[in-house]
Amino acid sequence: MLTVGIVGAGLRGQLFARALADVPGVRVAGFAEPSAQTGEAASGATGVPVHPDHRALLAATSPDAVIIATPDFAHREVAVDVAGAGIDLLIEKPLATTVEDATLIADAVRAGGGRCLVGFENRWNPHAHRAHEVVASGSLGSPITSHATLSNSFFVPTRMLAWAERSSPAWFLMPHTVDLLMWLNDSAVASVRAVSSRGVLAARGVDTEDVVHALIAFANGATANLTSAWVLPDAGEGIVDFRFGVVGTEGSITADLSHQGLSVVTDRTRSEWPLSGTIGRSQVGPAVWMVEHFARALIDGGDLGPGVDHGLAVTRVICAVEQAASTGRSVSPDEL
Amino acid sequence: MLTVGIVGAGLRGQLFARALADVPGVRVAGFAEPSAQTGEAASGATGVPVHPDHRALLAATSPDAVIIATPDFAHREVAVDVAGAGIDLLIEKPLATTVEDATLIADAVRAGGGRCLVGFENRWNPHAHRAHEVVASGSLGSPITSHATLSNSFFVPTRMLAWAERSSPAWFLMPHTVDLLMWLNDSAVASVRAVSSRGVLAARGVDTEDVVHALIAFANGATANLTSAWVLPDAGEGIVDFRFGVVGTEGSITADLSHQGLSVVTDRTRSEWPLSGTIGRSQVGPAVWMVEHFARALIDGGDLGPGVDHGLAVTRVICAVEQAASTGRSVSPDEL
Amino acid sequence: MLTVGIVGAGLRGQLFARALADVPGVRVAGFAEPSAQTGEAASGATGVPVHPDHRALLAATSPDAVIIATPDFAHREVAVDVAGAGIDLLIEKPLATTVEDATLIADAVRAGGGRCLVGFENRWNPHAHRAHEVVASGSLGSPITSHATLSNSFFVPTRMLAWAERSSPAWFLMPHTVDLLMWLNDSAVASVRAVSSRGVLAARGVDTEDVVHALIAFANGATANLTSAWVLPDAGEGIVDFRFGVVGTEGSITADLSHQGLSVVTDRTRSEWPLSGTIGRSQVGPAVWMVEHFARALIDGGDLGPGVDHGLAVTRVICAVEQAASTGRSVSPDEL
Amino acid sequence: MLTVGIVGAGLRGQLFARALADVPGVRVAGFAEPSAQTGEAASGATGVPVHPDHRALLAATSPDAVIIATPDFAHREVAVDVAGAGIDLLIEKPLATTVEDATLIADAVRAGGGRCLVGFENRWNPHAHRAHEVVASGSLGSPITSHATLSNSFFVPTRMLAWAERSSPAWFLMPHTVDLLMWLNDSAVASVRAVSSRGVLAARGVDTEDVVHALIAFANGATANLTSAWVLPDAGEGIVDFRFGVVGTEGSITADLSHQGLSVVTDRTRSEWPLSGTIGRSQVGPAVWMVEHFARALIDGGDLGPGVDHGLAVTRVICAVEQAASTGRSVSPDEL
């Protein structure tokens, strides 16, 4: 029986707990959660006991594996402690928001000897999954250029996230698309150009960037174009706009995850992502499939997915995007 | 431990066996399969032993439940025997292709006292599932009219199905959309008008109908419009064209399952349904979720889904479509 | 110089007047309009003098051609007078709303010896125009089956049209799609099945049908499926939903005129038809191109387009749809 | 009567001649065309006489206006001569492919005193036209960020254009999108970042860039993201992929000119642009409406559209894109 502890008992932590309840051979031993209110809700919804912090969780449950589902900027301490103890780890993206933090976590994982999956959940997204199958099969030839847009409406930075001002479109959104394009291109990032702007969100009381555009030159000669904005109109087709594509020498692929074929018109028109949380008795969706994969791979030793070195590489790219936007120069992530 | 036998070890039977292997508390005890070659393939792929027919399977394994995955016109004998023995049943749609066969099966289920799910798998299709949630929530008001198109390219009747001539667009495709629109409208079918044509498939050596269009008047006053064709060009966007929609007094819903946001261009352009068979360690897709639901509902006694009476009702509607098309008159399914 | 009179100085009449102002060799001699207010507006906008009725218009201007742009049910008297005088005629669709009226008009055209175009303006709609080119080229093989949906949101029958109760989705919308599918299939209509419902518009104070569905068997063996509803939600993507398609033995064509690639999100999302009225110095759009064609063909004797016999045939089909919906029987338009 | 001379009697020159034949008050006096074969074809198709070069055309016809429809890199000499003589001018985009050439042309226009329209034909494209109306109305608030993709399949550089190696995606395609986004944003370009790659076309014998991505910072603080590739698969949905969008503080607009609602499936699937060349008696399409506008504005003195200074500004931006791509630095067009 694989025992799992979950640090952070918010929506994501609870989702992981429910998903693991359906996996044979797995037991969720406890949550770590500082907020008494959040902890009670999580415990009531899942029946899993709650501890006040990750140290108490570790002491009480001696878990085989830990899932870190805290806000982005609060990964380092927990991750270093858990990884340093040799415990297997699923850590939400981005690994960290500075190269220093990400390097410390990566060092701890290597020193501790445990396994680590960074939660780039598009690896379990059906569109991205299928796109990767197609590209990896060689049927598009060699990638020439790619693009990815991942943006949110105002709702996310102004109402959904309490900590938007401590994040940005670059940190909250672009790790997903950087990971995705690195995966599809199967290449490291050689250099980055970028431009960004701010002012609109600041005027609404959230002092961070409105939008960031980045151009990537990959080590293999391919290029890519990424956009993330936090200023889409709320009256649009949902809070997320997500599209990507690859042009190869022999073909191309385009994915529009904002239009998956379902439109509901009531007081306004919108597209829907029909992969909702529960269909019949089965929980479905990328995050569910990711955590199921994590548990099963720990049990049978199979391939775990994107690890801590990749998580560090993505953090370097986002830092390079920020520096390129502010300097107007091409920046190499490896110099950071 | 719930033991399950599967009659028919073709692609669908094997898919069900693999899906059940991931459900805690379930064991697939055996297949029944007359073809030695198919049986060997299934046994090699799944490790499940094979018996030559359903009687041998029942005698050897005494299953708690049986899944019937034989061709449409070969349901009656197996279903009557299994249901008559009081064994729980998952039977693929359509329940049967005559009102007489469907009635006999329904009688056997009632007499035997077992439970029965008819495999209208769109109940576990994310688009249909979400559409039903929206309609059932009342946010569209009352349904006024609906439509559904479910068609195949020539590939299906001329190359995929060995028994296309013993079936038709009405029998192979329309049970899905009749079920779907009855579910979304929550109403019985009062009468049917229809038109059909043949000649193009016959000229290609498959003597059945090319296309059927049907108009439905529901008991609650709503109407619907259904199309199923077997003559779409093979160079299109895949072998299935599937769309549906509902117009209600307060809103509408439209689903286009042929365009789920993924396009691959190689030697030709096509849309793809990205819900492929395996994502990470998880098997995904409507048929998987249906059979998981079936097993779990048998274990815990939960609601099973569309039963044998509904299966009989759908068979009556398709028979009414055929009669309406040939006579040019409105036909009531209840008269058949 | 070709002189043209226009009966009806509403929006359509004014549009025709403006469009003809750009055609060399054409002069709009006058409007006939009983409403002083409408007449003044038209005269102010176009500089064209207004007469109180068609008799005064004919007496004062002796036009070479007349355009009839009155409401559907007010065509007969004007058309019979004008056509009987041998004057060339552009008459808006439907030719008339009874077989009797349509026959009288057709007889008058034949007796008078003038030319007549019935304003089935989809012949000048770029999507329909291109679809016809493709079908007529033979590159789809022979048509097997077709479909067309032309529906409006509640806005049209409840707010835009003062005379909705004297019309219906069958009369206001379906003449367009019946014409379109007859044109694309190049065949007469052999028989019609239909179903309709009412109640929702009646509850909103407009006592006419909510929706009508019709199935057509063409003389050449092909079939078609038509839907027109007047009950789409106003919060959708515009007031018109228009789509059609043809499946042929060698290929297919699909047209979605509701999604022409332009989306504007402000307080709600919608698609737009970017063929707006004026681009640079050019007036554009199907009605403009239709009336330009009409004038030029009168000047040079070229082919005029769908004539009065076709207009009569379409009126017969809509009458057959109404009878088929009320009787539940297949109805042949030729029997009416 | 406005007399017009056309330099270059290829497809574009002939299209302009045919379009002007429908405009009252305009006469096409002659072509200038060095190729005897092209000249004969043009003369046969249009009845317009052909002269061997622009000097002979000017001497023989003394035109009021001249249209320059030669290849991009062959504008300078003709334009300087014509503009210097004070003759009104329609010159195809880009104005020139170096800042030096563009400046000389702009100087000649100013010195000669004639009027000049640079043929940025998206101003007459219905999607772009409507997008500009929406943005200019203020209903989207202030633009925050924009994007535009304009790409071609391999067909264009490898088979359609004889002179592709002397051009590039930056010069052949991006002037359209730079113009479009400057127009929609109503702002000058402050700086440009870019990345490009080459190798795939070179391997096919056309030694130019495969793809260029550019990021723009506008003077008003808005940003934009542009992509142009010449390496899309030929099996896709046509030879052009064209999309753009604007996100404003109060709303957004998205235009997908590659999917205008028409799909034809024969041996492969493709979208179509249904604005074909002739509908009924009317020639339609952006280039037709542009040249009609040009002629009418010359006749009545109305606003002509984007002039030579704007043409120069766009040339500066493309030069900046090239320099930014090669240096990895942000480049200001005004420094060039």
Side-chain angles (χ1 to χ4, degrees):
Chain A
M1 185 64 66
L2 181 85
T3 57
V4 177
I6 301 178
V7 182
L11 292 178
R12 293 285 286 190
Q14 293 181 37
L15 181 156
F16 291 138
R18 280 195 308 275
L20 292 177
D22 285 340
V23 181
V26 176
R27 188 172 64 85
V28 177
F31 285 114
E33 173 58 54
S35 153
Q37 190 182 351
T38 303
E40 252 171 66
S43 176
T46 62
V48 171
V50 180
H51 304 270
D53 60 31
H54 72 281
R55 286 181 199 89
L57 172 69
L58 298 183
T61 67
S62 297
D64 299 310
V66 164
I67 298 174
I68 300 180
T70 57
D72 300 356
F73 46 82
H75 285 177
R76 189 179 74 179
E77 188 188 356
V78 181
V80 167
D81 287 354
V82 170
I87 297 171
D88 297 329
L89 196 62
L90 166 54
I91 182 166
E92 287 270 53
K93 66 86 223 171
L95 180 60
T97 56
T98 66
V99 173
E100 186 193 355
D101 279 9
T103 303
L104 285 172
I105 295 171
D107 289 346
V109 169
R110 276 184 229 105
R115 307 181 71 190
C116 176
L117 169 67
V118 182
F120 293 109
E121 84 178 46
N122 285 301
R123 308 291 181 111
W124 290 269
N125 177 313
H127 286 76
H129 174 85
R130 178 65 187 138
H132 185 259
E133 276 187 346
V134 170
V135 176
S137 75
S139 62
L140 305 187
S142 304
I144 300 171
T145 195
S146 317
H147 73 275
T149 295
L150 179 61
S151 295
N152 290 144
S153 72
F154 282 111
F155 173 81
V156 171
T158 64
R159 288 188 283 154
M160 188 181 97
L161 283 184
W163 41 280
E165 208 165 67
R166 303 178 65 183
S167 186
S168 68
W171 281 112
F172 190 72
L173 296 170
M174 216 173 249
H176 282 302
T177 46
V178 166
D179 166 61
L180 175 62
L181 295 188
M182 291 178 72
W183 187 42
L184 293 178
N185 280 279
D186 194 19
S187 181
V189 172
S191 66
V192 173
R193 282 90 160 157
V195 71
S196 65
S197 71
R198 58 198 306 150
V200 177
L201 280 172
R204 295 190 180 207
V206 180
D207 192 11
T208 189
E209 285 151 343
D210 297 329
V211 58
V212 58
H213 299 280
L215 306 180
I216 285 178
F218 284 105
N220 67 7
T223 58
N225 188 327
L226 296 87
T227 291
S228 286
W230 255 4
V231 290
L232 300 189
D234 283 325
E237 303 181 65
I239 61 174
V240 181
D241 183 30
F242 188 8
R243 304 147 202 262
F244 63 89
V246 180
V247 178
T249 50
E250 308 296 331
S252 67
I253 193 162
T254 310
D256 181 347
L257 290 83
S258 306
H259 296 90
Q260 297 193 13
L262 196 65
S263 300
V264 179
V265 176
T266 50
D267 56 339
R268 60 192 183 98
T269 302
R270 45 173 309 193
S271 286
E272 294 221 355
W273 299 24
L275 270 185
S276 57
T278 305
I279 294 183
R281 301 303 188 87
S282 302
Q283 288 194 75
V284 302
V288 169
W289 299 326
M290 175 174 71
V291 76
E292 287 177 358
H293 172 96
F294 173 68
R296 288 178 173 146
L298 291 186
I299 289 170
D300 68 13
D303 178 63
L304 201 57
V308 75
D309 291 333
H310 181 68
L312 171 56
V314 171
T315 290
R316 281 187 188 283
V317 173
I318 305 298
C319 289
V321 167
E322 292 197 317
Q323 192 172 115
S326 66
T327 64
R329 319 258 322 232
S330 167
V331 176
S332 164
D334 290 338
E335 295 164 7
L336 301 179
Chain B
M1 186 63 67
L2 181 85
T3 57
V4 178
I6 301 177
V7 182
L11 292 179
R12 293 284 288 189
Q14 294 181 37
L15 180 156
F16 292 137
R18 281 194 310 273
L20 292 177
D22 285 340
V23 182
V26 176
R27 188 173 64 86
V28 178
F31 286 114
E33 173 58 54
S35 154
Q37 189 182 350
T38 302
E40 255 171 65
S43 176
T46 63
V48 171
V50 181
H51 303 270
D53 59 32
H54 71 280
R55 287 183 198 90
L57 172 70
L58 298 184
T61 67
S62 298
D64 299 308
V66 163
I67 298 173
I68 301 182
T70 57
D72 300 355
F73 47 80
H75 284 178
R76 188 176 77 176
E77 187 189 357
V78 181
V80 168
D81 287 353
V82 171
I87 297 171
D88 296 330
L89 195 61
L90 165 54
I91 181 166
E92 288 271 53
K93 67 82 229 173
L95 180 61
T97 55
T98 66
V99 173
E100 185 194 356
D101 279 9
T103 303
L104 285 172
I105 295 171
D107 289 346
V109 169
R110 275 184 230 105
R115 306 181 72 190
C116 177
L117 169 66
V118 182
F120 292 109
E121 83 179 46
N122 285 301
R123 308 290 180 111
W124 291 269
N125 178 312
H127 286 75
H129 173 85
R130 178 68 186 136
H132 185 260
E133 275 187 346
V134 170
V135 175
S137 75
S139 62
L140 303 187
S142 304
I144 301 172
T145 196
S146 317
H147 73 275
T149 295
L150 179 61
S151 295
N152 290 142
S153 72
F154 282 111
F155 173 81
V156 171
T158 63
R159 287 189 284 154
M160 189 181 97
L161 284 184
W163 41 279
E165 208 165 69
R166 302 179 63 182
S167 185
S168 68
W171 282 111
F172 190 73
L173 296 169
M174 216 173 251
H176 282 301
T177 47
V178 166
D179 167 60
L180 176 62
L181 295 188
M182 290 178 73
W183 187 42
L184 293 177
N185 280 280
D186 194 20
S187 180
V189 172
S191 67
V192 173
R193 281 89 161 159
V195 70
S196 64
S197 71
R198 58 200 305 151
V200 177
L201 280 172
R204 294 190 180 207
V206 180
D207 191 11
T208 189
E209 284 151 344
D210 297 329
V211 58
V212 58
H213 300 280
L215 305 180
I216 285 177
F218 284 105
N220 67 6
T223 58
N225 187 325
L226 295 87
T227 292
S228 285
W230 256 3
V231 291
L232 300 188
D234 284 324
E237 303 181 66
I239 61 173
V240 181
D241 183 29
F242 188 9
R243 303 146 204 264
F244 63 90
V246 180
V247 178
T249 50
E250 308 296 330
S252 68
I253 193 163
T254 311
D256 181 349
L257 289 83
S258 307
H259 296 92
Q260 298 193 13
L262 195 66
S263 300
V264 179
V265 176
T266 49
D267 55 340
R268 60 192 183 98
T269 301
R270 45 175 307 192
S271 285
E272 295 222 356
W273 298 24
L275 271 186
S276 56
T278 305
I279 293 182
R281 299 304 186 86
S282 302
Q283 289 194 75
V284 302
V288 168
W289 298 325
M290 175 174 70
V291 76
E292 288 178 358
H293 172 95
F294 173 68
R296 287 178 174 147
L298 291 186
I299 290 171
D300 67 14
D303 177 65
L304 202 56
V308 75
D309 292 332
H310 181 68
L312 170 56
V314 171
T315 290
R316 280 187 190 284
V317 173
I318 304 299
C319 289
V321 167
E322 292 197 315
Q323 192 171 114
S326 65
T327 64
R329 316 261 319 235
S330 168
V331 176
S332 164
D334 291 339
E335 297 164 6
L336 302 180
Chain C
M1 186 65 65
L2 181 85
T3 58
V4 178
I6 301 179
V7 183
L11 293 178
R12 294 283 288 190
Q14 294 182 38
L15 181 155
F16 291 137
R18 281 195 309 275
L20 292 177
D22 286 340
V23 182
V26 176
R27 187 173 64 86
V28 177
F31 286 113
E33 172 59 52
S35 154
Q37 189 182 351
T38 301
E40 255 171 65
S43 177
T46 62
V48 171
V50 179
H51 304 270
D53 60 31
H54 71 280
R55 286 183 199 89
L57 172 69
L58 298 184
T61 67
S62 296
D64 300 308
V66 164
I67 298 175
I68 302 181
T70 56
D72 300 355
F73 46 82
H75 286 177
R76 191 178 73 179
E77 188 187 357
V78 182
V80 167
D81 286 355
V82 171
I87 298 171
D88 297 329
L89 195 63
L90 165 54
I91 181 165
E92 287 271 55
K93 68 82 224 170
L95 180 60
T97 55
T98 65
V99 173
E100 186 192 356
D101 279 9
T103 303
L104 285 171
I105 297 171
D107 289 348
V109 169
R110 273 184 232 106
R115 305 182 71 190
C116 176
L117 168 66
V118 183
F120 293 108
E121 84 178 46
N122 285 300
R123 308 291 182 110
W124 292 269
N125 177 313
H127 286 76
H129 174 85
R130 178 65 187 138
H132 184 259
E133 275 187 347
V134 170
V135 175
S137 75
S139 64
L140 304 187
S142 304
I144 302 172
T145 197
S146 315
H147 73 273
T149 294
L150 179 60
S151 294
N152 288 145
S153 73
F154 283 110
F155 173 81
V156 172
T158 63
R159 288 189 284 155
M160 188 181 98
L161 284 184
W163 41 280
E165 207 164 71
R166 300 177 66 183
S167 184
S168 68
W171 282 112
F172 190 72
L173 296 168
M174 216 172 249
H176 282 302
T177 47
V178 166
D179 166 60
L180 176 62
L181 295 187
M182 289 178 74
W183 187 42
L184 293 178
N185 280 280
D186 193 21
S187 181
V189 173
S191 67
V192 173
R193 282 87 162 162
V195 72
S196 64
S197 71
R198 59 198 305 151
V200 177
L201 281 171
R204 295 189 180 208
V206 180
D207 192 12
T208 188
E209 284 153 345
D210 298 327
V211 57
V212 58
H213 300 279
L215 305 180
I216 285 178
F218 284 105
N220 67 6
T223 59
N225 187 326
L226 295 86
T227 291
S228 285
W230 255 4
V231 289
L232 299 189
D234 283 325
E237 303 178 67
I239 61 173
V240 182
D241 183 30
F242 189 8
R243 304 145 204 263
F244 64 90
V246 180
V247 178
T249 51
E250 308 296 331
S252 67
I253 194 163
T254 310
D256 181 350
L257 289 83
S258 307
H259 296 92
Q260 298 193 14
L262 196 66
S263 300
V264 179
V265 176
T266 49
D267 56 339
R268 61 193 181 97
T269 301
R270 45 174 306 194
S271 286
E272 295 219 356
W273 299 24
L275 271 186
S276 55
T278 306
I279 294 184
R281 299 303 186 87
S282 301
Q283 288 194 75
V284 303
V288 169
W289 299 325
M290 176 175 71
V291 77
E292 288 178 358
H293 172 97
F294 173 69
R296 288 178 172 147
L298 290 185
I299 291 171
D300 68 12
D303 177 64
L304 202 58
V308 75
D309 291 332
H310 180 68
L312 170 57
V314 171
T315 290
R316 283 188 187 282
V317 172
I318 304 299
C319 289
V321 167
E322 292 197 316
Q323 190 172 115
S326 66
T327 63
R329 316 253 329 224
S330 168
V331 176
S332 165
D334 289 340
E335 297 165 9
L336 300 180
Chain D
M1 185 65 65
L2 181 85
T3 57
V4 179
I6 301 178
V7 182
L11 293 178
R12 292 284 287 190
Q14 293 182 37
L15 180 157
F16 292 137
R18 281 195 308 275
L20 292 177
D22 286 340
V23 181
V26 177
R27 188 172 63 87
V28 178
F31 286 113
E33 171 60 52
S35 153
Q37 188 182 352
T38 301
E40 255 171 64
S43 177
T46 63
V48 171
V50 180
H51 304 268
D53 60 31
H54 71 280
R55 287 184 198 85
L57 172 69
L58 297 183
T61 66
S62 298
D64 300 307
V66 164
I67 298 174
I68 302 181
T70 57
D72 302 354
F73 46 83
H75 286 177
R76 189 178 72 179
E77 189 187 356
V78 181
V80 167
D81 287 355
V82 171
I87 298 170
D88 298 329
L89 195 62
L90 165 54
I91 182 167
E92 287 271 54
K93 66 83 225 170
L95 181 60
T97 55
T98 66
V99 172
E100 187 192 355
D101 279 10
T103 303
L104 284 171
I105 296 170
D107 290 347
V109 169
R110 272 183 233 107
R115 306 183 71 191
C116 176
L117 169 66
V118 183
F120 293 109
E121 82 177 48
N122 286 301
R123 308 290 183 111
W124 292 269
N125 178 313
H127 286 76
H129 174 84
R130 177 68 186 135
H132 185 260
E133 276 187 348
V134 170
V135 175
S137 75
S139 62
L140 305 187
S142 304
I144 301 172
T145 196
S146 316
H147 74 274
T149 294
L150 179 60
S151 295
N152 289 146
S153 71
F154 282 111
F155 173 81
V156 171
T158 64
R159 287 189 283 155
M160 189 181 98
L161 284 184
W163 41 279
E165 206 164 71
R166 301 178 65 182
S167 185
S168 68
W171 281 112
F172 190 72
L173 296 169
M174 216 173 250
H176 282 301
T177 47
V178 166
D179 166 61
L180 175 63
L181 295 187
M182 289 178 73
W183 186 42
L184 294 177
N185 280 279
D186 192 21
S187 181
V189 172
S191 67
V192 174
R193 283 89 161 157
V195 70
S196 64
S197 70
R198 57 200 306 151
V200 176
L201 281 172
R204 294 189 181 210
V206 180
D207 193 11
T208 189
E209 285 152 344
D210 298 328
V211 58
V212 59
H213 300 280
L215 306 180
I216 284 177
F218 283 105
N220 66 6
T223 58
N225 188 326
L226 296 86
T227 291
S228 286
W230 256 3
V231 290
L232 299 189
D234 284 324
E237 303 179 66
I239 63 174
V240 181
D241 183 31
F242 188 7
R243 303 147 203 262
F244 64 90
V246 179
V247 178
T249 51
E250 308 296 331
S252 67
I253 194 163
T254 310
D256 181 350
L257 290 84
S258 307
H259 296 93
Q260 296 192 16
L262 196 65
S263 299
V264 179
V265 176
T266 49
D267 57 339
R268 60 192 181 98
T269 301
R270 45 174 305 194
S271 286
E272 294 220 357
W273 299 24
L275 272 186
S276 55
T278 305
I279 293 184
R281 299 303 187 88
S282 302
Q283 288 195 75
V284 302
V288 169
W289 299 324
M290 175 175 71
V291 77
E292 288 178 358
H293 172 97
F294 173 69
R296 290 179 171 144
L298 290 186
I299 290 171
D300 67 13
D303 177 65
L304 202 57
V308 75
D309 291 332
H310 180 69
L312 171 57
V314 171
T315 291
R316 281 189 189 281
V317 173
I318 304 298
C319 289
V321 167
E322 292 197 315
Q323 192 172 114
S326 67
T327 64
R329 316 259 322 232
S330 168
V331 176
S332 164
D334 289 339
E335 297 165 8
L336 300 180

